Amino acid sequence: MPRAKKKPDIAETPEGELSRIRGIGPAREELLALAGVRTIEDLLYRFPRRYLDRTLATSTAFRAGVETTLIVTVENSYLAHGKRSRLVVHCRTLNGEPLSLVFFRGVGYFRRVFQKSLMLVVSGKLESFGGMQIAHPDFEVLDSEDSETIHTGRIVPVYPGTEDLKKRGLDSRGFRRILHEVLDSGINLPGLIPEDLLLKLGYLKRMEALREIHFPENMETLKRARNSLKFEELFLFSFHMKSKRSARLAQERELWPVPHGKSEQWNQLTQRLPFALTGEQLRAIKVIVDDAQVNHATAFLLQGDVGSGKTIVAIAAMLHYVANNVQCALLAPTEVLARQHFRTFMDLLALSGVQIELLLGAEPKKSKAERIDRIGRGEADIVIGTHSLLEKDVSFASLGLVVVDEQHRFGVEQRETLRRKGKNPDVVGMTATPIPRTLCLTEFADLKLVTLLEKPAGRLPIKTMRLGEDKRTGMYKSVRNHVTQGRQCYIVYPVIDESEKSDLRAATDAFQELQTAIFPDLKVELLHGRMKADEKDRIMSDFRAGKVQILVSTTVIEVGVDVPNATIMVVEHADRFGISQLHQLRGRVGRGSAESFCVLMAGPGTEEAEERLAAVVSTENGFELAETDLKIRGPGEILGKRQHGVDGLRIANLMEDRKLVELAFESAEQTGNLPESALEFIKKRFATENQSLS
């Protein structure tokens, strides 16, 4: 019979194929690939999700109910019969205590394994049944008391897995065997971070950290390994974002002139504005316009709390481009918001001669084709639209500035599709959801951050309260009092129609009751996303004009809607909304000089829901709420990447590791070149996943 071909030495090609590892054949290799493990490096970066402390116990831990790990010697075994047949293995600990190991499954196999005088390390829960016993313990056979173990007698890693992996022998035990073989082979992956930096900061080298995170000597070395690998991950990601920024700065503009920082239309508009710009608005405009006067594309993230005046900053920036015969596009996530922007732009720029087009999906083909034709010929200076701007037949003559409102609602490919319609255009991403500092240093490190903290003069704080069902009658009475005094009200529901699967009150049913039974003498209208565009436009126009006193709606009015006379926001089933949504909805009121209120209607909720509601009631500061939101939900939820994590981060936590984030960012900014191995690692881990605007 021919001898089996020996597996090649793993350490010879550390980046090599998984087939080099004993126990991994083609079938297992294919299975691992489905789990995202295709190379030995991938395997080493499949970190444990938790650890079991199976270090050897002292005799004081030899009592019922205790999870313990002991070295024992087999004395004898026998098959016991009863309701369930079982194998009983009599052992004795190093301290001489008797211990029975009991197995109900695999009896034949275990009877062959547990021979007299065999030395084992066993782990499990001690139970008292006529003596101490452990049922189905984890165990390993020892050649001597000094034998190295990987499943017991130490801090044992537990790996993430799927049922499919477990069925085919790749549970935690299987992963431990494979990883131990790899690490025991003398494999040596090249370093990714300059050694002098690691030495200066006190972090472990790459291979030392990888060995300790999989098979730690103790909890202290495990902590050090985790921190070292967290720093490695955050440093490389920060370096990647720094490289993206450098690459953009090195790419010259194409075919269109650099904005010269002057705009007669803007100067004229500032004289006509019915309000004074805040100091921060003026500063933001200057930063964007000044930075655009270079021969490479620029990218900004303009963030400001609800009502901080981001739109006027965007208008100012656009007018400086229009002055150079450069087209601008504003991409909005909803038709309601796009129409709101179009109306604002038209009201402010009607006398300026600036040509503005609104491009939406649901409009007659002929008029839409005419708009597209004007845009393509360069007759439109500013184009405002929704996803319709991304359609293939939409082209621009000289697109030089792309403004993306509520930028987190668009994927990277959508934003890039619009950018590619221009000639290396500048980008301004706008968000009314303030972004925590740790996310700014990671996700948006390649952008220039412009922040508006100051609200326009005359705005009063919005009084926010959380009410239960027992206060509903009083809430309706307050709404009526305010409306009869000439104010307007929003009542928002989380769903359009009721469902058997949901206990939520729907907007359509509530509208009928509010219109006929609660406020029959008032003008009540319904607005939701499934309505036709012209119907939504009519209702919003009537509400804006004061013809509608109470607007029942879904979250279609979450962003962008600006009606200064609306002073009450009622959010039904408020416990079903996130912090960001509640803060955005609250921001629809308080936009005038009158006192405004936000009422959160909610019954008893989950612990997390109660934490969200308490946070919104306690502060109107969006930046504080953003930090709370990050703590509760995590960055993946906030950035819309729940299924994929945040840009390849596998071990670092942007909330828990804030100091590490800042240290890694500063270290990456001060580092020149990295070895080729680090650049390849960055490309593989981060380059295709990043979601930032540039």
Side-chain angles (χ1 to χ4, degrees):
M1 185 174 179
R3 295 177 63 184
K5 188 176 179 181
K6 184 184 176 185
K7 291 270 187 180
D9 188 351
I10 300 168
E12 289 178 0
T13 53
E15 74 284 355
E17 299 171 359
L18 294 170
S19 58
R20 292 180 173 273
I21 305 172
R22 185 174 55 187
I24 295 185
R28 229 174 223 193
E29 192 171 7
E30 184 179 337
L31 185 64
L32 283 166
L34 293 175
V37 178
R38 294 177 175 81
T39 66
I40 292 172
E41 186 177 75
D42 291 340
L43 183 66
L44 290 172
Y45 278 83
R46 188 179 178 85
F47 299 130
R49 61 182 172 89
R50 62 188 179 95
Y51 297 84
L52 301 175
D53 189 351
R54 289 180 175 172
T55 48
L56 294 174
T58 63
S59 58
T60 56
F62 195 74
R63 63 181 187 275
V66 173
E67 289 278 351
T68 189
T69 297
L70 303 161
I71 293 179
V72 301
T73 302
V74 175
E75 295 188 332
N76 59 64
S77 65
Y78 65 91
L79 192 62
H81 297 283
K83 287 185 178 180
R84 294 178 66 188
S85 295
R86 62 194 183 280
L87 178 70
V88 180
V89 182
H90 285 159
C91 304
R92 198 164 291 275
T93 72
L94 292 179
N95 293 324
E97 297 107 337
L99 176 70
S100 297
L101 309 179
V102 182
F103 297 88
F104 296 95
R105 302 181 301 277
V107 169
Y109 167 75
F110 290 125
R111 195 170 190 181
R112 292 192 299 272
V113 170
F114 295 116
Q115 300 297 313
K116 185 177 180 179
S117 301
L118 187 69
M119 185 174 284
L120 310 165
V121 179
V122 296
S123 293
K125 187 175 183 179
L126 287 167
E127 299 171 307
S128 180
F129 285 97
M132 302 302 283
Q133 71 173 40
I134 301 177
H136 278 279
D138 273 325
F139 70 91
E140 284 183 81
V141 177
L142 293 178
D143 295 327
S144 70
E145 290 182 29
D146 297 325
S147 293
E148 183 178 14
T149 62
I150 63 173
H151 304 301
T152 55
R154 66 180 309 141
I155 297 170
V156 178
V158 178
Y159 293 90
T162 63
E163 284 304 315
D164 199 18
L165 286 172
K166 292 175 184 176
K167 286 177 183 177
R168 296 167 70 173
L170 276 177
D171 55 6
S172 273
R173 291 180 69 90
F175 272 109
R176 284 196 290 271
R177 288 193 195 99
I178 293 170
L179 279 156
H180 190 266
E181 171 141 346
V182 171
L183 290 167
D184 202 39
S185 71
I187 190 171
N188 187 29
L189 297 179
L192 303 177
I193 300 177
E195 287 191 14
D196 58 343
L197 178 60
L198 294 176
L199 184 64
K200 173 185 172 184
L201 299 175
Y203 292 121
L204 300 175
K205 293 180 182 179
R206 186 186 189 190
M207 283 310 304
E208 191 178 355
L210 287 170
R211 287 190 181 94
E212 284 297 325
I213 201 165
H214 289 292
F215 297 103
E217 290 184 18
N218 52 56
M219 297 307 291
E220 190 58 38
T221 59
L222 172 60
K223 181 179 178 181
R224 193 177 177 201
R226 284 183 62 81
N227 283 337
S228 297
L229 289 166
K230 284 179 178 182
F231 177 78
E232 175 191 271
E233 186 170 65
L234 292 167
F235 173 88
L236 294 175
F237 184 78
S238 297
F239 193 91
H240 166 58
M241 300 303 286
K242 168 189 167 184
S243 300
K244 287 191 68 177
R245 184 174 66 243
S246 299
R248 187 183 64 246
L249 296 179
Q251 187 177 3
E252 292 188 357
R253 297 186 188 276
E254 298 177 23
L255 302 180
W256 55 275
V258 176
H260 49 58
K262 296 179 182 178
S263 170
E264 191 57 40
Q265 290 101 330
W266 172 245
N267 291 336
Q268 293 172 3
L269 176 58
T270 55
Q271 295 172 14
R272 299 196 309 270
L273 286 175
F275 52 84
L277 295 177
T278 67
E280 290 196 348
Q281 285 174 319
L282 293 170
R283 180 188 59 81
I285 293 167
K286 187 175 188 306
V287 167
I288 295 173
V289 172
D290 286 355
D291 276 27
Q293 295 174 57
V294 291
N295 197 33
H296 57 73
T298 58
F300 306 90
L301 179 63
L302 175 62
Q303 66 168 351
D305 216 338
V306 288
S308 59
K310 295 177 295 298
T311 302
I312 196 66
V313 174
I315 291 174
M318 288 180 171
L319 290 179
H320 284 82
Y321 286 78
V322 170
N324 276 29
N325 298 315
V326 175
Q327 288 177 296
C328 305
L330 192 158
L331 178 62
T334 66
E335 282 193 7
V336 169
L337 181 53
R339 290 178 183 276
Q340 171 77 45
H341 280 313
F342 179 70
R343 188 173 289 104
T344 300
F345 276 59
M346 290 297 291
D347 289 346
L348 293 176
L349 302 178
L351 304 176
S352 66
V354 176
Q355 299 301 309
I356 306 169
E357 289 285 356
L358 175 65
L359 192 65
L360 303 174
E363 59 178 308
K365 288 185 178 181
K366 184 178 179 181
S367 62
K368 186 175 181 180
E370 290 172 351
R371 294 178 195 274
I372 292 174
D373 183 58
R374 288 195 293 272
I375 295 168
R377 291 203 308 269
E379 294 176 8
D381 299 312
I382 296 174
V383 183
I384 299 169
T386 55
H387 294 76
S388 55
L389 293 179
L390 311 178
E391 295 172 5
K392 288 183 179 180
D393 57 345
V394 178
S395 63
F396 292 79
S398 60
L399 179 61
L401 175 64
V402 171
V403 177
V404 185
D405 199 7
E406 292 300 303
Q407 56 81 27
H408 60 280
R409 296 193 177 200
F410 296 94
V412 63
E413 187 54 39
Q414 291 174 314
R415 296 188 294 249
E416 282 302 307
T417 296
L418 185 53
R419 286 192 73 245
R420 285 193 290 266
K421 293 176 182 286
K423 298 169 181 176
N424 196 16
D426 295 338
V427 179
V428 175
M430 298 200 301
T431 177
T433 304
I435 298 171
R437 174 172 165 76
T438 46
L439 291 185
C440 289
L441 290 181
T442 52
E443 283 295 301
F444 305 104
D446 60 328
L447 307 178
K448 184 157 187 176
L449 187 63
V450 182
T451 303
L452 301 177
L453 294 172
E454 186 181 0
K455 287 191 177 182
R459 297 279 177 93
L460 297 175
I462 301 169
K463 292 185 178 180
T464 305
M465 61 201 76
R466 183 259 180 92
L467 300 179
E469 192 61 31
D470 59 324
K471 302 293 184 181
R472 179 171 294 280
T473 301
M475 181 269 289
Y476 284 150
K477 184 178 179 181
S478 294
V479 168
R480 176 177 290 280
N481 288 340
H482 279 266
V483 168
T484 54
Q485 291 173 22
R487 301 301 178 187
Q488 291 165 279
C489 171
Y490 299 99
I491 302 180
V492 175
Y493 289 81
V495 294
I496 300 174
D497 299 312
E498 287 193 9
S499 164
E500 293 181 5
K501 298 179 181 179
S502 172
D503 59 351
L504 302 180
R505 185 80 189 278
T508 50
D509 292 317
F511 166 66
Q512 294 298 329
E513 182 183 3
L514 289 167
Q515 186 185 46
T516 58
I518 310 298
F519 303 112
D521 54 324
L522 302 178
K523 181 62 174 176
V524 184
E525 281 282 13
L526 172 68
L527 181 73
H528 59 73
R530 292 209 299 259
M531 288 178 165
K532 291 183 178 180
D534 56 350
E535 180 68 3
K536 284 189 285 188
D537 197 35
R538 180 193 65 77
I539 292 170
M540 280 308 305
S541 294
D542 286 351
F543 188 64
R544 215 172 273 109
K547 297 177 182 177
V548 173
Q549 295 163 303
I550 298 175
L551 183 62
V552 181
S553 176
T554 58
T555 54
V556 70
I557 54 96
E558 180 183 340
V559 293
V561 175
D562 186 4
V563 181
N565 192 50
T567 57
I568 295 185
M569 166 63 69
V570 178
V571 183
E572 298 283 358
H573 300 291
D575 55 310
R576 304 301 181 97
F577 293 85
I579 285 179
S580 174
Q581 278 186 308
L582 291 174
H583 186 54
Q584 290 278 15
L585 288 169
R586 174 169 58 186
R588 295 316 99 210
V589 296
R591 305 182 79 84
S593 58
E595 187 177 38
S596 295
F597 302 85
C598 177
V599 181
L600 307 178
M601 298 296 295
T606 63
E607 183 178 343
E608 183 181 311
E610 293 296 332
E611 192 173 356
R612 291 197 306 269
L613 293 173
V616 176
V617 170
S618 68
T619 182
E620 201 184 333
N621 187 312
F623 292 89
E624 291 180 14
L625 290 173
E627 293 290 344
T628 303
D629 206 16
L630 178 62
K631 178 182 176 182
I632 295 174
R633 294 195 300 156
E637 291 275 9
I638 291 174
L639 295 168
K641 301 180 215 176
R642 182 177 182 181
Q643 300 301 319
H644 303 290
V646 180
D647 289 316
L649 297 185
R650 299 178 184 177
I651 188 169
N653 182 299
L654 296 183
M655 189 65 195
E656 297 173 1
D657 303 318
R658 296 186 188 192
K659 290 183 179 179
L660 267 181
V661 170
E662 297 196 12
L663 178 61
F665 176 79
E666 291 168 5
S667 299
E669 287 292 309
Q670 296 166 11
T671 300
N673 298 319
L674 291 182
E676 189 62 33
S677 57
L679 299 179
E680 284 299 317
F681 185 90
I682 287 171
K683 183 178 179 181
K684 177 183 175 183
R685 178 72 71 82
F686 303 121
T688 59
E689 299 180 12
N690 182 254
Q691 299 285 311
S692 72
L693 283 164
S694 60

